[in-house]
Amino acid sequence: MKKTLKVTAFVMALMLVIAAFASCGGGGDSASVSGKTETWGNITVLVPDGMKLTGGNILDKKNPDVVNIAKEDKATNYFLITISDDENSAKSGIDSTRSMNKGCEDITLEFDNGKWEGVAYDYSGMEVFQIYGKVGGRIAVVQSYGFGSDSETTKAILNSLEVKKS
């Protein structure tokens, strides 16, 4: 009886450890970020709970190739997604960001929808990044303030991003 109790306790402890490792999941599980998939113009993307999608930009509120996903309670924490067909412009934007900000680190990210390249840095204690990648045959530029390039929210948004040809 005593031996059975020890074996049972050991098996239960082992199961807890396995469950803990599985839930952490080495690379992270972006499926742990809940939200609603929304479409604006040519962009379909997950909008995490507690965040709001706004389409267009200041120059053109109906621009089908621009969305902003911001925290509802702190709009300065956001993802700005801009779609174009010009990879050179995206690279130039990354170079400009690199030259204007101290401490920029080159980053390369791999997600379900492809490879992303750009820079990450710290601005006033907040994580910032700007990256670009090909999605749906077009170039997507993603700028973020307040989220790390390796955060679960970032992973969920980038993994969900779909772009239609204009």
Side-chain angles (χ1 to χ4, degrees):
M1 176 76 173
K2 201 173 190 181
K3 186 174 182 178
T4 303
L5 187 58
K6 284 183 180 180
V7 170
T8 302
F10 175 77
V11 169
M12 289 177 68
L14 184 60
M15 288 173 54
L16 283 172
V17 169
I18 291 170
F21 281 116
S23 68
C24 291
D29 180 15
S30 57
S32 65
V33 174
S34 62
K36 181 180 172 189
T37 300
E38 295 186 30
T39 299
W40 168 266
N42 296 317
I43 303 168
T44 299
V45 66
L46 174 74
V47 179
D49 291 339
M51 299 186 82
K52 177 182 174 183
L53 181 144
T54 305
N57 60 24
I58 293 172
L59 300 174
D60 180 0
K61 292 189 184 296
K62 295 181 180 181
N63 188 329
D65 290 327
V66 179
V67 297
N68 184 26
I69 302 169
K71 281 189 171 182
E72 291 175 347
D73 63 347
K74 190 171 185 181
T76 56
N77 288 40
Y78 65 87
F79 292 86
L80 176 64
I81 302 171
T82 307
I83 308 301
S84 75
D85 296 311
D86 186 0
E87 187 171 359
N88 288 332
S89 178
K91 287 179 182 179
S92 176
I94 300 293
D95 291 340
S96 294
T97 297
R98 183 183 295 112
S99 69
M100 292 187 302
N101 296 284
K102 291 183 180 181
C104 283
E105 255 182 59
D106 290 332
I107 59 172
T108 300
L109 308 170
E110 298 273 343
F111 291 105
D112 294 344
N113 60 1
K115 182 177 174 182
W116 297 80
E117 296 181 59
V119 293
Y121 57 99
D122 180 85
Y123 184 80
S124 297
M126 296 296 284
E127 292 183 89
V128 181
F129 69 86
Q130 180 174 344
I131 56 176
Y132 77 95
K134 256 188 190 171
V135 180
R138 300 187 72 199
I139 303 299
V141 176
V142 179
Q143 299 168 291
S144 178
Y145 183 81
F147 296 91
S149 60
D150 61 349
S151 77
E152 293 304 313
T153 303
T154 298
K155 292 174 188 176
I157 287 174
L158 292 176
N159 277 325
S160 73
L161 184 60
E162 296 176 16
V163 177
K164 289 188 285 187
K165 297 216 184 248
S166 59

